[in-house]
Amino acid sequence: MSHRHSWAEDFVAGFVTMATRRHFTGQVDAYIGELVVRAGAERIGVGRALMNAAESWARAHGLRRVTLETGAADVRARSFHQGLGYAEEEVRLSRPVSD
């Protein structure tokens, strides 16, 4: 009898990186540096599972808030995070400096 591997056993479907970041109020938050889901593994719960893992990491480290940043033009990512209950709090402005 042969053993068949599922697609999930054959490659990494995604990853999340975590760190801590001090908020301007002095509170230390859990910070998601990167959340990546491999093309082809989207819309099947990988991102949600990674976000749940990030929140579990925050709880395990005694942190009360998870923060992250994404591009203003990334409507898909913003919608995903808002669907999980994340609220947009700040706006970052930038301008390239020419030589």
Side-chain angles (χ1 to χ4, degrees):
M1 179 162 113
S2 67
H3 175 70
R4 289 188 68 162
H5 291 282
S6 71
W7 66 269
E9 295 172 333
D10 293 335
F11 64 87
V12 174
F15 66 90
V16 62
T17 63
M18 299 297 301
T20 58
R21 179 181 275 186
R22 186 169 302 277
H23 190 265
F24 71 87
T25 62
Q27 177 178 318
V28 177
D29 297 330
Y31 177 72
I32 296 174
E34 294 178 274
L35 174 69
V36 177
V37 176
R38 182 182 179 140
E42 298 165 319
R43 305 197 59 80
I44 61 170
V46 174
R48 183 177 298 270
L50 291 169
M51 292 299 293
N52 287 340
E55 291 172 9
S56 292
W57 184 91
R59 278 190 293 280
H61 287 82
L63 303 170
R64 299 176 50 117
R65 178 174 295 276
V66 176
T67 62
L68 61 96
E69 296 174 3
T70 191
D74 193 343
V75 175
R76 187 173 173 194
R78 290 171 61 198
S79 177
F80 169 75
H81 294 295
Q82 287 170 347
L84 294 175
Y86 285 75
E88 294 182 6
E89 294 180 336
E90 300 177 16
V91 175
R92 177 183 293 178
L93 304 171
S94 67
R95 182 175 189 268
V97 178
S98 59
D99 293 332

XYZ file of all heavy atoms in Angstrom:
770
model
N 0.838 -1.163 0.000
C 0.000 0.000 0.000
C 0.893 1.239 0.000
O 1.813 1.361 0.800
C -0.870 -0.033 1.260
C -1.767 1.156 1.379
S -3.091 0.821 2.530
C -2.664 1.937 3.812
N 0.638 2.164 -0.889
C 1.446 3.379 -0.948
C 0.772 4.483 -0.145
O -0.438 4.516 0.006
C 1.639 3.821 -2.399
O 0.408 4.223 -2.940
N 1.615 5.376 0.355
C 1.122 6.506 1.134
C 1.079 7.735 0.229
O 2.072 8.109 -0.368
C 2.057 6.762 2.324
C 1.675 7.984 3.120
N 0.546 8.019 3.887
C 2.274 9.186 3.247
C 0.469 9.208 4.468
N 1.511 9.931 4.091
N -0.072 8.355 0.117
C -0.211 9.577 -0.679
C -0.077 10.789 0.229
O -0.671 10.843 1.290
C -1.568 9.618 -1.362
C -1.690 8.613 -2.487
C -2.948 8.856 -3.218
N -2.812 10.138 -3.907
C -3.568 10.514 -4.903
N -4.509 9.731 -5.339
N -3.398 11.672 -5.479
N 0.711 11.734 -0.208
C 0.874 12.980 0.541
C -0.159 13.980 0.057
O -0.477 14.038 -1.116
C 2.266 13.583 0.296
C 3.368 12.776 0.898
N 3.668 12.820 2.229
C 4.229 11.890 0.347
C 4.668 12.010 2.472
N 5.030 11.438 1.345
N -0.661 14.759 0.971
C -1.533 15.852 0.563
C -0.656 16.999 0.066
O 0.542 17.046 0.339
C -2.391 16.319 1.739
O -1.606 17.002 2.684
N -1.253 17.955 -0.658
C -0.481 19.091 -1.167
C 0.146 19.867 -0.024
O 1.215 20.421 -0.158
C -1.342 19.998 -2.039
C -2.430 20.689 -1.271
C -3.705 20.254 -1.065
C -2.330 21.931 -0.560
N -4.396 21.130 -0.288
C -3.580 22.175 0.031
C -1.303 22.843 -0.386
C -3.833 23.296 0.792
C -1.552 23.973 0.381
C -2.813 24.189 0.959
N -0.500 19.879 1.139
C 0.019 20.638 2.273
C 1.309 20.042 2.823
O 2.086 20.733 3.455
C -1.033 20.714 3.375
N 1.547 18.774 2.587
C 2.775 18.142 3.056
C 3.937 18.380 2.102
O 5.075 18.112 2.440
C 2.566 16.640 3.238
C 1.570 16.303 4.326
C 1.245 14.825 4.360
O 1.346 14.155 3.313
O 0.887 14.343 5.442
N 3.662 18.880 0.922
C 4.683 19.010 -0.106
C 5.342 20.391 -0.169
O 6.394 20.528 -0.777
C 4.091 18.673 -1.479
C 3.705 17.215 -1.580
O 4.279 16.393 -0.845
O 2.814 16.906 -2.381
N 4.732 21.398 0.415
C 5.341 22.723 0.378
C 4.795 23.589 1.505
O 3.779 23.294 2.103
C 5.138 23.407 -0.970
C 3.696 23.704 -1.317
C 3.097 24.880 -0.904
C 2.963 22.821 -2.072
C 1.788 25.153 -1.218
C 1.647 23.097 -2.401
C 1.059 24.267 -1.965
N 5.501 24.670 1.764
C 5.058 25.638 2.764
C 3.934 26.459 2.147
O 4.089 27.039 1.074
C 6.226 26.548 3.193
C 5.745 27.655 4.111
C 7.321 25.727 3.841
N 2.813 26.530 2.828
C 1.655 27.264 2.317
C 1.713 28.741 2.674
O 1.095 29.564 2.013
C 0.368 26.640 2.846
N 2.472 29.086 3.716
C 2.575 30.476 4.108
C 3.381 30.611 5.376
O 3.800 29.615 5.970
N 3.598 31.857 5.777
C 4.298 32.102 7.035
C 3.915 33.468 7.587
O 3.412 34.334 6.880
C 5.823 31.979 6.886
C 6.453 33.031 6.011
C 6.890 34.228 6.544
C 6.626 32.805 4.657
C 7.480 35.200 5.740
C 7.217 33.757 3.843
C 7.640 34.963 4.396
N 4.151 33.623 8.882
C 3.941 34.901 9.554
C 5.156 35.152 10.435
O 5.695 34.209 11.021
C 2.630 34.900 10.374
C 2.631 33.857 11.474
C 2.309 36.286 10.931
N 5.628 36.389 10.468
C 6.730 36.751 11.363
C 6.189 37.662 12.451
O 5.358 38.539 12.186
C 7.885 37.446 10.614
O 7.420 38.676 10.048
C 8.446 36.556 9.515
N 6.683 37.449 13.673
C 6.200 38.199 14.825
C 7.357 38.868 15.546
O 8.468 38.335 15.582
C 5.494 37.266 15.812
C 4.278 36.546 15.255
S 2.951 37.659 14.767
C 2.609 38.508 16.296
N 7.068 40.016 16.123
C 8.027 40.748 16.946
C 7.214 41.567 17.950
O 5.983 41.500 17.965
C 8.887 41.661 16.084
N 7.899 42.331 18.762
C 7.203 43.279 19.628
C 7.552 44.680 19.159
O 8.619 44.916 18.591
C 7.594 43.105 21.111
O 9.000 43.275 21.248
C 7.170 41.742 21.629
N 6.634 45.582 19.387
C 6.846 46.978 18.994
C 6.191 47.869 20.037
O 5.043 47.638 20.427
C 6.232 47.229 17.621
C 6.399 48.666 17.155
C 5.776 48.897 15.815
N 6.716 48.520 14.775
C 6.499 48.724 13.486
N 5.374 49.243 13.079
N 7.400 48.378 12.602
N 6.934 48.881 20.458
C 6.392 49.820 21.451
C 5.531 50.865 20.752
O 5.960 51.538 19.824
C 7.527 50.499 22.212
C 7.015 51.365 23.365
C 8.134 51.827 24.269
N 8.898 50.731 24.841
C 8.538 50.037 25.931
N 7.422 50.324 26.538
N 9.313 49.073 26.384
N 4.304 50.981 21.208
C 3.354 51.975 20.716
C 3.750 53.335 21.287
O 4.410 53.398 22.328
C 1.949 51.563 21.189
C 0.851 52.340 20.577
N 0.312 53.445 21.184
C 0.172 52.168 19.420
C -0.670 53.923 20.428
N -0.769 53.170 19.349
N 3.353 54.419 20.646
C 3.728 55.745 21.143
C 3.188 56.014 22.547
O 3.696 56.864 23.259
C 3.304 56.863 20.175
C 1.827 57.110 20.120
C 1.217 57.971 21.018
C 1.036 56.475 19.164
C -0.148 58.204 20.962
C -0.320 56.696 19.105
C -0.925 57.563 20.010
N 2.187 55.265 22.973
C 1.642 55.412 24.329
C 2.521 54.726 25.364
O 2.311 54.871 26.556
C 0.237 54.794 24.409
O 0.340 53.386 24.121
C -0.726 55.462 23.469
N 3.494 53.928 24.888
C 4.358 53.186 25.785
C 3.983 51.718 25.891
O 4.764 50.904 26.364
N 2.767 51.369 25.468
C 2.325 49.976 25.491
C 3.116 49.159 24.476
O 3.381 49.621 23.376
C 0.835 49.899 25.154
C 0.288 48.491 25.083
C -1.209 48.482 24.794
O -1.954 49.270 25.341
N -1.620 47.586 23.916
N 3.499 47.957 24.852
C 4.192 47.062 23.930
C 3.157 46.163 23.269
O 2.339 45.528 23.950
C 5.258 46.216 24.659
C 5.911 45.231 23.699
C 6.312 47.127 25.279
N 3.169 46.139 21.946
C 2.232 45.341 21.157
C 2.951 44.212 20.449
O 4.152 44.298 20.173
C 1.563 46.207 20.074
C 0.720 47.332 20.629
O 0.167 47.184 21.736
O 0.607 48.362 19.939
N 2.215 43.168 20.112
C 2.706 42.155 19.181
C 2.617 42.779 17.796
O 1.640 43.459 17.474
C 1.851 40.896 19.257
N 3.625 42.577 16.988
C 3.663 43.195 15.666
C 3.890 42.128 14.608
O 4.829 41.338 14.697
C 4.787 44.242 15.592
C 4.932 44.856 14.240
C 3.988 45.756 13.761
C 5.998 44.511 13.413
C 4.110 46.315 12.496
C 6.125 45.067 12.155
C 5.179 45.964 11.703
O 5.296 46.501 10.450
N 3.001 42.089 13.631
C 3.152 41.176 12.493
C 4.002 41.883 11.452
O 3.589 42.887 10.872
C 1.783 40.791 11.899
C 0.975 40.007 12.931
C 1.962 39.994 10.606
C -0.437 39.692 12.504
N 5.213 41.376 11.249
C 6.111 41.967 10.267
C 5.761 41.552 8.851
O 5.738 42.369 7.940
N 5.472 40.275 8.688
C 5.112 39.751 7.369
C 4.043 38.684 7.526
O 4.084 37.887 8.462
C 6.314 39.106 6.685
C 7.426 40.066 6.323
C 8.580 39.326 5.692
O 9.430 38.825 6.450
O 8.617 39.238 4.455
N 3.105 38.672 6.606
C 2.121 37.610 6.477
C 2.088 37.264 4.999
O 1.742 38.106 4.171
C 0.739 38.055 6.944
C -0.387 37.051 6.716
C -0.216 35.829 7.618
C -1.736 37.689 6.948
N 2.501 36.045 4.685
C 2.593 35.629 3.290
C 1.857 34.314 3.116
O 2.061 33.375 3.886
C 4.070 35.448 2.866
C 4.170 34.938 1.434
C 4.836 36.746 3.024
N 0.997 34.255 2.104
C 0.329 33.015 1.718
C 0.727 32.722 0.284
O 0.616 33.581 -0.593
C -1.202 33.128 1.853
C -1.886 31.858 1.343
C -1.592 33.396 3.299
N 1.203 31.521 0.072
C 1.680 31.110 -1.249
C 0.539 31.146 -2.268
O -0.592 30.762 -1.969
C 2.223 29.685 -1.148
C 2.781 29.157 -2.430
C 3.237 27.729 -2.242
N 3.748 27.212 -3.485
C 4.803 26.454 -3.575
N 5.457 26.096 -2.501
N 5.213 26.025 -4.747
N 0.852 31.614 -3.476
C -0.122 31.582 -4.571
C -0.562 30.134 -4.751
O 0.250 29.217 -4.720
C 0.507 32.122 -5.853
N -1.826 29.926 -4.883
C -2.364 28.586 -5.005
C -2.858 28.040 -3.679
O -3.582 27.048 -3.643
N -2.473 28.683 -2.590
C -2.938 28.273 -1.266
C -3.810 29.372 -0.658
O -4.059 29.386 0.538
C -1.758 27.962 -0.358
N -4.265 30.286 -1.496
C -5.086 31.392 -1.029
C -6.547 30.967 -0.944
O -6.987 30.049 -1.629
C -4.941 32.580 -1.985
C -3.509 33.099 -2.035
C -3.272 34.015 -3.213
O -3.774 33.716 -4.314
O -2.579 35.019 -3.022
N -7.260 31.646 -0.052
C -8.708 31.485 0.093
C -9.133 30.097 0.574
O -10.236 29.647 0.291
C -9.434 31.870 -1.190
C -9.072 33.288 -1.649
C -10.019 33.879 -2.633
N -11.390 33.983 -2.173
C -11.892 34.925 -1.379
N -11.097 35.857 -0.898
N -13.161 34.946 -1.051
N -8.226 29.419 1.287
C -8.589 28.116 1.864
C -8.356 28.091 3.372
O -8.385 27.033 3.987
C -7.840 26.948 1.173
C -6.321 27.086 1.347
C -8.233 26.821 -0.283
C -5.541 25.865 0.912
N -8.089 29.261 3.966
C -7.951 29.350 5.413
C -6.536 29.455 5.933
O -6.333 29.537 7.149
N -5.544 29.480 5.043
C -4.153 29.568 5.489
C -3.901 30.906 6.190
O -3.329 30.953 7.280
C -3.170 29.362 4.313
C -1.732 29.608 4.752
C -3.325 27.963 3.732
N -4.314 31.993 5.582
C -4.111 33.316 6.174
C -4.802 33.440 7.520
O -4.228 33.947 8.483
N -6.017 32.955 7.602
C -6.761 32.997 8.859
C -6.043 32.168 9.933
O -5.926 32.585 11.082
C -8.176 32.476 8.646
C -9.046 32.541 9.882
C -10.463 32.076 9.596
N -11.121 32.910 8.611
C -11.836 34.002 8.901
N -11.947 34.371 10.160
N -12.410 34.697 7.966
N -5.539 30.994 9.561
C -4.808 30.145 10.512
C -3.530 30.838 10.990
O -3.186 30.775 12.174
C -4.484 28.790 9.882
N -2.846 31.519 10.080
C -1.630 32.244 10.459
C -1.958 33.412 11.393
O -1.223 33.677 12.349
C -0.884 32.726 9.217
C -0.245 31.621 8.384
C 0.233 32.174 7.043
C 0.886 30.949 9.132
N -3.047 34.110 11.122
C -3.456 35.208 12.005
C -3.842 34.671 13.380
O -3.520 35.280 14.396
C -4.612 35.992 11.370
C -4.201 36.775 10.129
S -2.935 38.024 10.435
C -3.850 39.178 11.457
N -4.512 33.522 13.422
C -4.838 32.905 14.711
C -3.566 32.548 15.466
O -3.482 32.732 16.684
C -5.708 31.662 14.511
C -7.124 31.994 14.107
O -7.607 33.105 14.306
N -7.801 31.025 13.517
N -2.567 32.030 14.747
C -1.285 31.693 15.374
C -0.603 32.954 15.903
O -0.022 32.939 16.994
C -0.377 30.969 14.385
N -0.683 34.052 15.159
C -0.088 35.318 15.597
C -0.757 35.803 16.882
O -0.082 36.255 17.819
C -0.218 36.374 14.500
N -2.078 35.699 16.946
C -2.794 36.125 18.136
C -2.478 35.213 19.319
O -2.346 35.678 20.456
C -4.287 36.189 17.850
C -4.620 37.317 16.883
C -6.056 37.315 16.399
O -6.892 36.543 16.923
O -6.361 38.113 15.480
N -2.311 33.934 19.074
C -1.912 32.998 20.135
C -0.522 33.342 20.655
O -0.266 33.292 21.862
C -1.935 31.555 19.618
O -3.253 31.153 19.355
N 0.395 33.686 19.744
C 1.742 34.102 20.133
C 1.678 35.326 21.036
O 2.354 35.399 22.056
C 2.567 34.385 18.876
C 3.995 34.730 19.137
C 5.050 33.865 19.199
C 4.553 36.037 19.360
N 6.220 34.553 19.446
C 5.942 35.882 19.545
C 4.008 37.317 19.415
C 6.785 36.963 19.792
C 4.848 38.399 19.665
C 6.221 38.213 19.845
N 0.826 36.280 20.656
C 0.685 37.504 21.451
C 0.180 37.164 22.855
O 0.731 37.650 23.846
C -0.273 38.473 20.763
N -0.846 36.339 22.947
C -1.373 35.953 24.262
C -0.312 35.245 25.092
O -0.160 35.514 26.284
C -2.599 35.049 24.098
C -3.889 35.796 23.840
C -5.100 34.895 23.921
N -5.145 33.903 22.861
C -5.560 34.122 21.623
N -5.995 35.318 21.283
N -5.565 33.157 20.730
N 0.432 34.335 24.464
C 1.473 33.574 25.172
C 2.569 34.488 25.713
O 3.237 34.147 26.687
C 2.075 32.513 24.250
N 2.757 35.646 25.079
C 3.779 36.597 25.516
C 3.192 37.722 26.368
O 3.860 38.724 26.635
C 4.526 37.162 24.297
C 5.453 36.168 23.684
N 5.032 35.198 22.796
C 6.776 35.956 23.872
C 6.064 34.454 22.451
N 7.128 34.889 23.093
N 1.942 37.575 26.770
C 1.312 38.559 27.651
C 0.997 39.880 26.987
O 0.851 40.892 27.667
N 0.885 39.888 25.666
C 0.614 41.123 24.924
C -0.884 41.224 24.638
O -1.538 40.233 24.322
C 1.426 41.143 23.631
C 2.937 40.999 23.866
C 3.659 40.786 22.552
C 3.485 42.190 24.615
N -1.406 42.423 24.739
C -2.854 42.616 24.640
C -3.338 43.084 23.278
O -4.534 43.132 23.026
C -3.287 43.618 25.698
C -2.973 43.127 27.111
C -3.330 44.173 28.131
N -4.675 44.673 27.921
C -5.676 44.542 28.774
N -5.477 43.937 29.905
N -6.868 45.041 28.511
N -2.424 43.439 22.390
C -2.827 43.977 21.084
C -1.880 43.477 20.018
O -0.678 43.376 20.229
C -2.800 45.505 21.147
C -3.158 46.195 19.858
C -3.254 47.692 20.031
N -4.341 48.077 20.912
C -5.608 48.210 20.515
N -5.941 47.994 19.278
N -6.533 48.584 21.374
N -2.456 43.179 18.833
C -1.666 42.807 17.657
C -1.790 43.939 16.650
O -2.896 44.414 16.375
C -2.169 41.489 17.030
C -1.409 41.174 15.747
C -2.055 40.341 18.015
N -0.665 44.383 16.115
C -0.675 45.432 15.098
C 0.045 44.939 13.853
O 0.849 44.004 13.903
C 0.007 46.722 15.601
O 1.373 46.447 15.885
C -0.680 47.269 16.839
N -0.247 45.563 12.738
C 0.408 45.260 11.472
C 0.248 46.451 10.557
O -0.540 47.350 10.824
C -0.178 43.998 10.835
C -1.669 44.039 10.485
C -1.885 44.424 9.031
C -2.290 42.700 10.785
N 1.013 46.450 9.491
C 0.915 47.504 8.485
C 0.761 46.852 7.123
O 1.307 45.777 6.869
C 2.166 48.374 8.490
C 2.367 49.121 9.785
C 3.691 49.863 9.836
O 4.441 49.847 8.841
O 3.972 50.449 10.894
N 0.012 47.511 6.255
C -0.098 47.072 4.870
C -0.254 48.310 4.004
O -0.594 49.384 4.509
C -1.272 46.083 4.678
O -1.182 45.483 3.390
C -2.617 46.767 4.815
N 0.005 48.160 2.737
C -0.080 49.305 1.837
C -1.507 49.792 1.654
O -2.445 48.988 1.595
N -1.678 51.101 1.557
C -3.003 51.683 1.377
C -3.672 51.177 0.101
O -4.884 51.013 0.053
C -2.903 53.206 1.345
N -2.886 50.892 -0.922
C -3.439 50.430 -2.190
C -3.765 48.942 -2.191
O -4.406 48.443 -3.112
C -2.463 50.744 -3.329
N -3.353 48.222 -1.152
C -3.595 46.775 -1.092
C -4.982 46.518 -0.513
O -5.146 46.108 0.634
C -2.515 46.080 -0.267
C -2.534 44.578 -0.440
O -3.547 44.034 -0.916
O -1.528 43.937 -0.085
N -5.991 46.756 -1.332
C -7.383 46.650 -0.904
C -7.709 45.233 -0.445
O -8.427 45.034 0.534
C -8.334 47.086 -2.050
C -9.785 46.878 -1.671
C -8.063 48.531 -2.418
N -7.148 44.251 -1.108
C -7.416 42.857 -0.748
C -6.925 42.540 0.669
O -7.643 41.950 1.467
C -6.755 41.941 -1.766
C -7.089 40.504 -1.600
C -6.528 39.720 -2.767
N -6.701 38.312 -2.541
C -6.092 37.379 -3.219
N -5.270 37.704 -4.202
N -6.304 36.118 -2.964
N -5.707 42.947 0.995
C -5.162 42.711 2.337
C -5.947 43.499 3.377
O -6.271 42.976 4.451
C -3.683 43.088 2.390
N -6.263 44.731 3.083
C -7.014 45.553 4.032
C -8.378 44.938 4.304
O -8.828 44.870 5.452
C -7.137 46.975 3.508
C -5.786 47.705 3.532
C -5.816 49.019 2.823
N -6.774 49.935 3.430
C -7.241 51.010 2.806
N -6.835 51.311 1.593
N -8.100 51.783 3.415
N -9.036 44.444 3.282
C -10.340 43.796 3.433
C -10.225 42.518 4.263
O -11.066 42.241 5.123
C -10.921 43.500 2.056
O -12.141 42.813 2.175
N -9.173 41.722 4.003
C -8.943 40.488 4.757
C -8.822 40.790 6.241
O -9.493 40.187 7.079
C -7.679 39.786 4.241
C -7.215 38.651 5.112
C -7.878 37.436 5.112
C -6.108 38.803 5.936
C -7.456 36.388 5.923
C -5.672 37.764 6.746
C -6.355 36.553 6.740
N -7.968 41.754 6.597
C -7.735 42.076 7.998
C -8.969 42.691 8.649
O -9.293 42.379 9.797
C -6.517 42.988 8.153
C -5.248 42.316 7.760
N -4.725 41.234 8.439
C -4.389 42.536 6.742
C -3.616 40.836 7.867
N -3.386 41.614 6.828
N -9.676 43.540 7.932
C -10.902 44.119 8.478
C -11.936 43.024 8.737
O -12.663 43.077 9.736
C -11.454 45.180 7.533
C -10.624 46.447 7.539
C -11.019 47.424 6.435
O -11.739 47.089 5.509
N -10.510 48.641 6.554
N -11.981 42.015 7.881
C -12.901 40.885 8.076
C -12.587 40.087 9.325
O -13.455 39.396 9.867
N -11.349 40.170 9.801
C -10.944 39.491 11.032
C -11.090 40.396 12.257
O -10.699 40.022 13.355
C -9.489 39.008 10.919
C -9.223 37.926 9.881
C -7.734 37.628 9.798
C -10.006 36.657 10.199
N -11.614 41.604 12.048
C -11.848 42.515 13.163
C -10.766 43.549 13.400
O -10.799 44.272 14.391
N -9.790 43.663 12.496
C -8.734 44.657 12.638
C -9.245 45.999 12.104
O -9.888 46.049 11.059
C -7.474 44.227 11.879
C -6.726 43.130 12.593
C -7.195 41.824 12.589
C -5.569 43.410 13.296
C -6.532 40.818 13.270
C -4.891 42.413 13.976
C -5.382 41.126 13.959
O -4.719 40.144 14.644
N -8.949 47.072 12.836
C -9.388 48.410 12.446
C -8.187 49.234 12.013
O -7.105 49.127 12.593
C -10.075 49.099 13.630
N -8.393 50.061 11.004
C -7.334 50.960 10.554
C -7.255 52.113 11.544
O -8.251 52.740 11.862
C -7.632 51.452 9.142
C -7.581 50.311 8.140
C -7.820 50.756 6.701
O -7.918 51.971 6.442
O -7.901 49.874 5.844
N -6.024 52.382 12.041
C -5.847 53.395 13.077
C -5.025 54.595 12.640
O -5.262 55.693 13.086
C -5.149 52.780 14.293
C -5.971 51.730 14.991
C -5.256 51.142 16.189
O -4.004 51.192 16.232
O -5.937 50.625 17.077
N -4.025 54.369 11.834
C -3.104 55.445 11.498
C -2.919 55.516 9.991
O -3.126 54.542 9.282
C -1.739 55.204 12.155
C -1.803 55.145 13.665
C -0.467 54.836 14.298
O 0.573 54.962 13.617
O -0.467 54.465 15.468
N -2.495 56.658 9.540
C -2.156 56.845 8.135
C -0.702 57.277 8.086
O -0.299 58.216 8.780
C -3.053 57.915 7.476
C -2.599 58.182 6.055
C -4.509 57.485 7.530
N 0.096 56.593 7.301
C 1.498 56.965 7.124
C 1.630 57.694 5.798
O 1.134 57.220 4.782
C 2.389 55.723 7.101
C 3.848 56.072 6.853
C 4.705 54.874 6.762
N 4.755 54.236 8.066
C 5.415 53.115 8.323
N 6.056 52.500 7.371
N 5.426 52.607 9.514
N 2.282 58.817 5.807
C 2.527 59.591 4.598
C 3.989 59.502 4.237
O 4.855 59.500 5.112
C 2.118 61.053 4.817
C 0.671 61.270 5.276
C 0.458 62.709 5.654
C -0.300 60.833 4.214
N 4.286 59.414 2.940
C 5.667 59.377 2.504
C 5.805 60.088 1.171
O 4.831 60.254 0.446
C 6.157 57.927 2.393
O 5.495 57.264 1.349
N 7.005 60.490 0.901
C 7.326 61.158 -0.373
C 8.760 60.857 -0.700
O 9.643 61.021 0.147
C 7.127 62.664 -0.218
C 7.390 63.448 -1.469
C 7.036 64.905 -1.241
N 7.069 65.656 -2.461
C 8.137 66.307 -2.899
N 9.252 66.309 -2.219
N 8.076 66.967 -4.028
N 9.021 60.425 -1.924
C 10.420 60.181 -2.290
C 11.198 61.494 -2.334
O 10.645 62.548 -2.652
C 10.343 59.561 -3.687
C 8.933 59.668 -4.132
C 8.096 60.103 -2.984
N 12.452 61.429 -1.977
C 13.322 62.594 -2.011
C 14.205 62.469 -3.247
O 14.919 61.486 -3.402
C 14.193 62.673 -0.734
C 15.129 63.869 -0.800
C 13.312 62.724 0.500
N 14.123 63.448 -4.110
C 14.922 63.403 -5.324
C 16.326 63.922 -5.053
O 16.563 64.667 -4.100
C 14.273 64.190 -6.438
O 14.113 65.529 -6.040
N 17.256 63.527 -5.925
C 18.655 63.975 -5.784
C 18.830 65.409 -6.177
O 18.215 66.012 -6.918
C 19.583 63.113 -6.655
C 19.631 61.693 -6.128
O 19.433 61.516 -4.912
O 19.847 60.778 -6.928
